[in-house]
């Protein structure tokens, strides 16, 4: 009986840790919920744009700025009318802080789904987590919508 009580106590103690691994309120499996500020930023960047067919690779010339939305969402701005959204394959702890340097491991002239990148602390140079790109989804303003 004492052994059973010890197991129950251990399971109850571990419950909060296990619950913290579960994604919080997102429709996508494994995706963490966005904070209100992150959701607002994402909405602002994609406002008036329509998603297109996902792409496996994003040629380097197609993006001129990276926007970190959360630890699992990156945006690549190609122009005012075109933004590529990348939902990483899993979370990349610290990405949303936008203070670490992203070091992309690239093979060729494109960044592709499944390619790796890691974060490096800007002040200490210590390497952080390794992260994996997902598909690149283009969001475009519809033709004739210049507003």
């Amino acid at each position: 009986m004492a052994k059973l009580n010890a197991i129950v106590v251990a399971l109850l103690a571990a419950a909060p840790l296990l619950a913290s691994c579960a994604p919080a309120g997102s429709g996508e499996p494994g995706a963490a919920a966005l904070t209100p500020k992150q959701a607002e930023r994402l909405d602002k960047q994609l406002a008036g744009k329509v998603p297109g067919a996902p792409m496996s690779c994003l040629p380097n010339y197609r993006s001129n700025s990276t926007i970190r939305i959360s630890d699992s969402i990156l945006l690549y701005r190609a122009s005012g009318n075109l933004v590529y959204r990348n939902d990483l394959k899993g979370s990349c702890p610290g990405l949303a802080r936008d203070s670490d340097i992203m070091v992309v491991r690239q093979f060729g002239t494109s960044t592709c789904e499944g390619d790796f990148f890691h974060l490096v602390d800007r002040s200490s140079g210590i390497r952080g987590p390794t992260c994996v790109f997902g598909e690149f989804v283009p969001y475009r303003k519809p033709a004739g919508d210049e507003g």
Side-chain angles (χ1 to χ4, degrees), residues 2-114:
K3 210 178 228 186
L4 181 61
N5 284 341
I7 291 171
V8 169
V9 168
L11 288 173
L12 289 174
L17 295 173
L18 293 172
S20 70
C21 295
S26 168
E28 297 178 36
L34 298 176
T35 66
K37 185 176 180 179
Q38 291 169 339
E40 180 182 335
R41 189 169 186 203
L42 180 63
D43 290 344
K44 181 180 177 185
Q45 293 297 323
L46 300 181
K49 297 176 181 71
V50 179
M55 302 166 44
S56 295
C57 295
L58 180 66
N60 290 342
Y61 69 87
R62 299 289 282 184
S63 68
N64 55 24
S65 70
T66 304
I67 303 163
R68 302 177 191 196
I69 298 297
S70 69
D71 283 351
S72 60
I73 299 173
L74 286 170
L75 298 179
Y76 288 89
R77 175 170 296 290
S79 69
N81 295 330
L82 177 61
V83 175
Y84 294 90
R85 176 178 171 161
N86 191 284
D87 287 86
L88 303 178
K89 294 185 180 225
S91 182
C92 185
L95 182 65
R97 281 194 308 263
D98 205 20
S99 60
D100 292 348
I101 299 167
M102 279 179 63
V103 179
V104 179
R105 186 167 201 181
Q106 190 170 324
F107 305 97
T109 58
S110 297
T111 302
C112 296
E113 176 183 9

